[in-house]
């Protein structure tokens, strides 16, 4: 298990890669927490592969529209300018390189960057989803930036 101090360092390091005006896809798990480390007021367009661009903050179930979820199943809100589209359009956005950055969650990452696993055995997972495409098709740095680094590994890219 990653200590909270190591987790905060990983999230801060990942947040440093997010610049004003970027279109960013946040994978399920740890990447969903990265926005708390982005400078307040930094305009970022969040993309969810289930067909939302302009995803707003996560909401608790009692305040949420239960029909509005992100790819990980969290209840989200909308912001001015939010766009909705089908999954074909969503993945066309991914495949055409219109994402500036994708942050993927992973439990283990091989030395060459391969994701060694992506699911907790016995726990519900909405599936691999778009992680296989978002990690290779975003425009910055060749695609994937692993926000979930192994504990003890250098936080430098």
């Amino acid at each position: 298990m990653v200590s909270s101090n190591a987790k905060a360092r990983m999230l801060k390091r990942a947040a440093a890669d997010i610049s004003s005006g970027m279109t960013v896809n946040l994978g399920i798990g740890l990447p969903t927490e990265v926005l708390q480390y982005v400078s307040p007021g930094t305009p970022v367009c969040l993309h969810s592969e289930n067909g939302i661009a302009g995803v707003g903050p996560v909401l608790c179930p009692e305040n949420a529209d239960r029909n509005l979820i992100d790819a990980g199943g969290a209840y989200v809100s909308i912001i001015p300018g939010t766009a909705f589209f089908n999954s074909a359009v969503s993945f066309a956005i991914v495949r055409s390189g219109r994402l500036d950055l994708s942050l993927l969650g992973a439990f283990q990452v091989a030395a060459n960057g391969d994701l060694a696993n992506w699911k907790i055995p016995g726990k519900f997972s909405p599936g691999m989803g778009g992680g296989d495409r978002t990690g290779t098709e975003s425009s910055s740095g060749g695609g994937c930036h692993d926000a979930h680094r192994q504990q003890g590994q250098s936080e430098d890219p």
Side-chain angles (χ1 to χ4, degrees):
M1 175 144 234
V2 179
S3 73
S4 61
N5 191 28
K7 179 179 168 182
R9 284 195 324 268
M10 290 186 286
L11 289 166
K12 286 177 187 176
R13 174 59 189 90
D17 286 342
I18 299 176
S19 301
S20 177
M22 286 182 131
T23 300
V24 179
N25 182 287
L26 301 178
I28 61 175
L30 191 59
T32 62
E33 298 180 37
V34 76
L35 290 181
Q36 63 189 308
Y37 295 95
V38 173
S39 298
T42 302
V44 175
C45 178
L46 293 183
H47 169 271
S48 180
E49 59 264 21
N50 63 330
I52 309 172
V55 177
V58 172
L59 299 173
C60 58
E62 53 272 3
N63 295 330
D65 174 345
R66 292 182 174 243
N67 295 308
L68 190 57
I69 60 170
D70 65 12
Y75 295 115
V76 294
S77 59
I78 58 173
I79 58 174
T82 295
F84 299 96
F85 34 83
N86 65 31
S87 61
V89 171
S90 183
F91 284 99
I93 291 169
V94 172
R95 285 189 296 277
S96 63
R98 286 179 167 71
L99 296 177
D100 295 305
L101 182 66
S102 290
L103 296 175
L104 301 177
F107 297 112
Q108 296 175 333
V109 180
N112 66 354
D114 289 345
L115 298 180
N117 62 350
W118 56 272
K119 184 176 177 181
I120 300 172
K123 296 272 188 170
F124 171 77
S125 173
M128 181 66 168
D132 60 335
R133 295 302 299 220
T134 58
T136 59
E137 303 287 344
S138 65
S139 61
S140 83
C144 178
H145 176 100
D146 296 305
H148 196 137
R149 297 180 190 276
Q150 292 176 333
Q151 188 172 0
Q153 180 181 356
S154 169
E155 61 185 56
D156 295 327

